[in-house]
Amino acid sequence: MLYCDAYLTPRSLADAFTAMAEYRGRYRLVAGATDTLPWARAGRAGDVAIPALIDVSAIPELRERRVDATRVRIGAATPMQRFLDDGDLARAMPVMARCAVWFADDQIRAAATVGGNLVNASPAADATPPLLAHDAQVELACAREGKITRRRMALGDFVRGPGKTALEADEILLAIECAALPGYGAEFEKVGHRRSLVIATVCLAAVVRLDAAHAIADLRLAVGGVGPVPCRLHESENFLRGGAATLARLEEAAHMTVGLVQSRTRHDYRRDVLHGFVVRGLASALRRAGGASPPVGELEASHA
Amino acid sequence: MARRRGRGMAACWYGIARTATVDRAAAWAEIDDGGTAKIATGVTEIGEGILTVLAQIAAEELGIRPQDVTIGDNDTARAPEAAHAGATRQTYMIGNAVALAARQARAQLVDVVASQWGVAANLVETANGEVFARKTNHRMPMGDAVSLCKSRGVVPVGAASFGTDTTGLDPVDGSGRPWQAYVFGCQVAEVEVDTLTGEVQVLGVWAVHDVGRAVNPRGVEGQIEGGIVQALGQALMEDYRIENGRTTTPGLAKYILPTALDVPHVTSVILEDRDPIGPLGVKGIGEPAMVPTIPAVMNAIYDAVGARITALPATPERVLEAIKERERASRHRAAAE
Amino acid sequence: MPDLRIDATVNGRAISRPAKPWQRLLDFLRDDLNLTGNKEGCGAGECGTCSVFLDGVLVKSCLVPVAKAQNARVETIESLGRAGALSVLQRAFHKAGASQCGYCIPGMVMAGTAALRANPLAGREEIRERLGGNICRCTGYQKILDAVELTRDVGNGTLPESALAEEEPADGRFIGANVRRLDAPSKVSGALKYAADMTMPGMLHVQVLRSPHPHARIVSIDTAGAQAMPGVAGVVMADDVPGIDGFGVFVNDQPVLARGKVRYVGDAIVAVAAEDELTARRALDHVTVVYDPLPAVFDPREAMRPGAPVIHDDAPDNITKHIPIRVGDVESGFARSDLIVTQTYSTQAIEHAYLEPEAGLGYVDPDGVVTIISPSQNITHHRHMLARILALPINRVRFIMSPVGGGFGGKEDMIYQGILALLAIKTGRPVRYVFTREESIIATAKRHPSRTTLKMGLTRDGRICAVEFRMISDGGAYGLSTEGVMRKAAILGAGPYNIANLRMDTYGVYTNNTPSGAFRSFGALQTQFATESHLDICAEKLGLDPFAIRRVNAMRDGAVTHTKQTLGSVSLMRALAAAEEAARWEAGPPSSRGATRHDLGGAGNRAPCTLGARFAAAEHAAQPEKVA
Ligand SMILES: Cc1cc2nc3c(=O)[nH]c(=O)nc-3n(C[C@H](O)[C@H](O)[C@H](O)COP(=O)(O)OP(=O)(O)OC[C@H]3O[C@@H](n4cnc5c(N)ncnc54)[C@H](O)[C@@H]3O)c2cc1C
Ligand code: FES
Ligand code: FES
């Protein structure tokens, strides 16, 4: 169990920083608490006593939502379920919607925040690959010498390793900003040991846009679960961009991921699945992007 | 990378009630005021629906409705011994004991009513909450019959026990008579294997089980469906891991169970080969329901992709590895030819 | 820091009450507001027994800090309906037979309600996905899904309300009728009280210190620090047992609290009763146990070797039970065989994972009768054992079976009832002990993991000539039901087939792993998995259809079993025929012919799960607009 002497719910950024200063070194931030509470149980951290829990989910800046044709800005405390039930957001971030149906379950998603997922920095965090695919930037804030200052960085630089991020002890993750990708075809592939409430062994985010000639105008691929941090598959992307979407080319792009798997456990399995996910994930994304998607028929053939 | 389907089957058998030892259970019954009934027995519901089954049995024996039967709490100080809740013995042992106790209580009531009407007791019937005598116009509500009994100084009660004629096993060759009732069954499973990830989805199971006599067919289906899904968990995902004596699966995040997304549609077919020994002809279903599922699923995986899984669970990693192993072997064969 | 004060609307009523800052919404509802309909199945977001609406959104209240309910609207299962005034969905659960043990059901009812609030027209696959956070260990989900679909159809008028009513049997006979479960209304409404939902005036809370070592001698136990803590009412250990210590289903080899040594990680050593659970938990930190670690053994095959660490002095070879069955002469049977196939099979340890973790209350009644209320599957035997342990006449011990939130064999063992009795006697007050999920997993029995070597000889036409079957099973640290499991495994393991020559051996072995015990289908599952897999392997080699090879060998009326019992009627041939017909089975040898069979994909299958059923529904819903 997680025990605390105080549970604070600041209603403004300034109040949050005041509380953080007061409890310096003796607090922990929570948003949805869906990582924090299960962590403080037997078999993991066990009983944990923390002087203060500071709940950041009621701070207006962390609940922001701005969506237009080109950009998206969402507060860090945005629950994962928003990517499914907020139509504008789902259209601007089609791969986040696909990711969200695989994320935990409807109830956890109602509480679990996108910021918590990023800060928790699990190698298998589901939201990270889609956000990498969106070239997301994170915005961090802190109060130093009485002044609130903000800084930004690419998500890829923010997540540093399992449980490690660039967040400083006195910082809060404020918001995430990224490109809107309306009209992109998207797919999120994920495999674990079941189909709900499942931690990914491998997950892959794929988004694609086709040009008038049905060549690949833009695509982004990102993977989670195969190394200490989720990452983009730039080599495969560069190879495919501008070309035709044939099965042979997809296979070749997938082949470029062979050396990428760093996880020691289930290494060969992850390598094989990643390879397959690149092909199949892209094929579905292509189909959703309106492509003729020649490969899909063959791939999804089931002899039933 | 295709998804491949296949089918497999397996048969099973099982023994009903305690193994290789004499089993026994007792029940008390009383036909109560207003034509209701009270049953007390040592052990009942663990979720399988036995409360309802016992109420149905008592109701049928007494000629009243299941809703009118009250089953007492399970309490060693208030109810007769019925041994334990397990071993697929509830319907068989306790169901038969309740039937016998109810018959005794009914016989007491019938005797009083028959003498009141001056008819032979074997002409008196109880049904639909009424007592009546065949070939006559005599008829009264069960509640009135109970009042009549009481006015004659009789409380219609019964007490009965049901035991088995079984023996232990010979310590050298194992010979013996471990059960007096056996059930048999067979299941067919259809699976889809994703050859990219190695994931197996069980899409359909057709399950045939002999239960002796189904007191509540929907309850029997519930046991079959639940048993199959428990077995499916063991077949595909559940794995209590322990390393140097310490578990690495200490909670439900690591010890994973099938969710509603992971389970097949189950078609149950109930066979009734009545038990000739007990008064009801019932046998049981709780445990046998899950026995054939795992081999049926493993046989279906083999049918789909040619991978034989002999170490459970058939996780995606194991299945994919077995598929690759088979591909390697067949390439090897092809090269050798 | 002062407590929080929570102002909220709970089930339509305004409340304003203090709460501890660390409390979860679930604790607040259950402990402070006595709304016990929603349960704690795991405390970690993994099961859904705690699901409640928070401002109209379904959440898992075990992961919601209570402060998040400030100024919010909370709805628990108690708000949806009660016996006599059930909601349509609750009535549909009743009608469909969707509740078994009932422990998951309040959460399921909440999830089903949420699913149809989100999409009143949701299809079966979408319903599955929306129920994906709620685990049920009993039903296999089918009747739960049926119930939600029934609710949807009654809700949108496709089916009449009368579809929810009891069907009276036409012939007035109740045996054979689908009578609705009598206990369903109390389960679908959350009204039924399981042990963890019960309280008694003056009740104390129990916590237990468990071994971190798989095998160690206990050098000393010092409980003075715990005893001295304010709020602690009693501390017990092995020395407090007045009678003959030891329980077990077949052998009484397990002490109530570790006596002299611990044999697995999770073995109970010291138990504390205190005014509240937190104090009891903290008190455990003030107990000092000095251990002298002993060599441990974790592999049953190693445990059987001479010189292996001995776990119980009275079993120097670590064998808990060996069951032999001998029929005919296997050597001559193999000699006559055209095909001999040998294969090894292994099965893993399985957790029962009943949704209700162990819980119980103990008290000494005014007449001095020690009373235990718990979801025990065996109150009769527990009473016998506890009377001996307490050195009391048997009628001074009373067991009451509380509603069981799933058992599957796992609640046959008297794992904690002895602790409740000792503390009730010591403190003179009622005590309650509620396991966490993690405690339930670490301390209680598992399904026996097994390793089987199976050698089968057959004639060309598929007749079994000889079977040699040897299973070694890890029984873990205590005997529990190992003996019975080995026996059933041996009797049933070779399957319902006529086998003239059989050598069957099953061994249950002590190790320092979590104990194995009773689990639904009790050894027959492990062994018949091997035999039924093996028959398919042989069928392929012989070019026979799986049904055909079984028919060749099937026991028929009057068969003699492997234990030489003569049977009367044998329904196996009927079962085979019925399964073949129901599944529309296409005959052929099991040679990975999936690609060529024609019986796939028909009725009786569900659609493969691809996730995202709600997208399809949304696309579908969007279409008419486009047309218009
Ligand atoms: C049953 C279950 C299933 C799950 N399934 C999945 C899944 O499928 N995929 C997946 O990726 N994850 C899953 N998770 C993990 C978890 O739900 C997610 O990681 C979630 O996004 C965490 O967000 P939160 O707000 O709940 O985290 P919290 O527990 O509130 O916080 C997590 C960490 O982030 C920090 N933090 C939170 N917000 C901020 C902020 N704004 N600034 C600075 N620090 C912050 C906290 O201090 C803490 O260290 C699951 C969890 C459970 C319990
Ligand atoms: S999800 Fe809350 S108790 Fe299991
Ligand atoms: S009825 Fe669902 S867990 Fe028992």
Side-chain angles (χ1 to χ4, degrees), chain A residues 194-195 266 269 280 303, chain B residues 5 194 197 257 262 317:
Chain A
R194 59 180 171 183
R195 286 171 190 76
R266 298 184 270 175
Y269 177 74
R280 193 162 76 188
H303 50 233
Chain B
R5 292 224 185 158
D194 183 335
T197 59
L257 301 161
D262 304 298
E317 296 89 323

Side-chain angles (χ1 to χ4, degrees), chain A residues 28-29 31-36 103-104 113 117 126 173 190 198, chain C residues 45-46:
Chain A
R28 196 180 165 102
L29 301 183
T34 63
D35 271 319
T36 308
F103 192 107
T113 67
N117 197 248
D126 280 328
L173 173 60
K190 176 172 172 179
V198 62
Chain C
E46 300 283 348

Side-chain angles (χ1 to χ4, degrees), chain C residues 98-105 135-139 144 355 405-406 408:
Chain C
S99 60
Q100 290 191 20
C101 82
Y103 210 75
C104 72
I105 293 298
I135 303 288
C136 174
R137 190 58 159 165
C138 298
T139 64
I144 291 174
L355 268 282
F408 318 119

